[in-house]
Amino acid sequence: DTAVSQTPKYLVTQMGNDKSIKCEQNLGHDTMYWYKQDSKKFLKIMFSYNNKELIINETVPNRFSPKSPDKAHLNLHINSLELGDSAVYFCASSQDAGPRNTIYFGEGSWLTVV
Amino acid sequence: AQSVTQLDSQVPVFEEAPVELRCNYSSSVSVYLFWYVQYPNQGLQLLLKYLSGSTLVKGINGFEAEFNKSQTSFHLRKPSVHISDTAEYFCAVSSPSGYSTLTFGKGTMLLVSP
């Protein structure tokens, strides 16, 4: 079983559309994350949730809205997609929100905005 | 604020040769240090981490890294690489206080050829 799974793996969409990426972890972890990897492979945290509560919200446009219906799921909804949103989005989880923890990453969702 | 510099964007090496991937960090406080590996079209996987104690850390797949506080470095080494080690390697730091917020370097592509 995949520990952190995200869908879809590939997504091609037009500018202005709204799209969602879903993520689920079966590790029993309390904390989940969204990271963005740009075309130069630079990784940056976007959001972090601990037990369904938002604890980290980096400088991300309001068009990005995470939602955590329970601690095993963290979805990412993106409104009014722009060309610059093209990237790989990684969902991840860790035992808790402490900095010592190993972070487990999903396989990524490749978003291409045309 | 913390930052991570990976000095080499690409490191070509022949199979069975030793390799060192360099990582330097900048931080006004102590840090936790991590190395993650990303195989093609996959998510990131933890290789090893330094939290405290012995400065030589052993990880999976025969990799090790040494924390050098005076040089603010955490270089990754392997005495003999395999073709299957071809991947992108990311060094990351985290503050030991607060929530987990990994700051990643820009990655080093290790290219192992026969």
Side-chain angles (χ1 to χ4, degrees):
Chain A
D1 279 347
T2 305
V4 181
S5 58
Q6 50 186 112
T7 56
K9 183 157 186 171
Y10 300 101
L11 185 54
V12 181
T13 188
Q14 291 188 326
M15 283 174 53
N17 283 351
D18 302 339
K19 290 295 175 187
S20 292
I21 305 172
K22 296 186 175 182
C23 178
E24 176 181 5
Q25 55 95 2
N26 63 6
L27 296 168
H29 288 169
D30 287 343
T31 308
M32 295 186 72
Y33 311 81
W34 279 109
Y35 278 82
K36 179 181 179 180
Q37 186 175 46
D38 64 23
S39 58
K40 295 184 179 179
K41 298 207 172 183
F42 184 59
L43 267 160
K44 189 169 164 53
I45 190 169
M46 300 173 68
F47 303 102
S48 175
Y49 272 73
N50 189 58
N51 281 319
K52 302 194 300 176
E53 180 184 340
L54 180 66
I55 57 171
I56 294 172
N57 185 351
E58 292 295 307
T59 50
V60 178
N62 291 338
R63 300 181 294 102
F64 290 78
S65 54
K67 282 189 172 51
S68 182
D70 56 62
K71 72 176 191 178
H73 295 84
L74 179 61
N75 304 322
L76 182 65
H77 188 75
I78 316 170
N79 289 325
S80 304
L81 278 156
E82 300 176 359
L83 292 177
D85 297 331
S86 295
V88 185
Y89 293 86
F90 287 100
C91 179
S93 72
S94 61
Q95 185 67 53
D96 58 52
R100 304 173 65 93
N101 288 297
T102 297
I103 295 182
Y104 295 82
F105 287 82
E107 294 196 341
S109 293
W110 271 254
L111 173 64
T112 302
V113 182
V114 296
Chain B
Q2 300 158 337
S3 66
V4 177
T5 302
Q6 293 184 243
L7 297 165
D8 305 301
S9 59
Q10 209 172 79
V11 172
V13 65
F14 288 110
E15 194 174 18
E16 298 183 8
V19 71
E20 178 178 83
L21 305 183
R22 297 181 291 172
C23 171
N24 288 86
Y25 67 92
S26 173
S27 176
S28 58
V29 297
S30 59
V31 294
Y32 292 150
L33 292 153
F34 304 79
W35 274 100
Y36 281 84
V37 60
Q38 184 179 24
Y39 297 104
N41 297 325
Q42 292 188 26
L44 282 76
Q45 177 184 4
L46 181 73
L47 275 177
L48 48 80
K49 60 182 174 182
Y50 172 79
L51 303 178
S52 65
S54 173
T55 56
L56 183 63
V57 181
K58 293 192 183 298
I60 62 170
N61 301 339
F63 284 94
E64 64 180 31
E66 185 152 23
F67 170 56
N68 187 319
K69 188 174 181 179
S70 62
Q71 296 189 3
T72 60
S73 68
F74 191 53
H75 300 334
L76 181 71
R77 297 191 291 258
K78 186 169 182 178
S80 175
V81 295
H82 302 293
I83 298 283
S84 58
D85 292 323
T86 294
E88 192 88 30
Y89 291 80
F90 292 93
C91 182
V93 300
S94 179
S95 168
S97 61
Y99 297 128
S100 172
T101 49
L102 288 176
T103 299
F104 284 90
K106 292 190 175 182
T108 297
M109 182 68 194
L110 176 63
L111 293 165
V112 183
S113 54

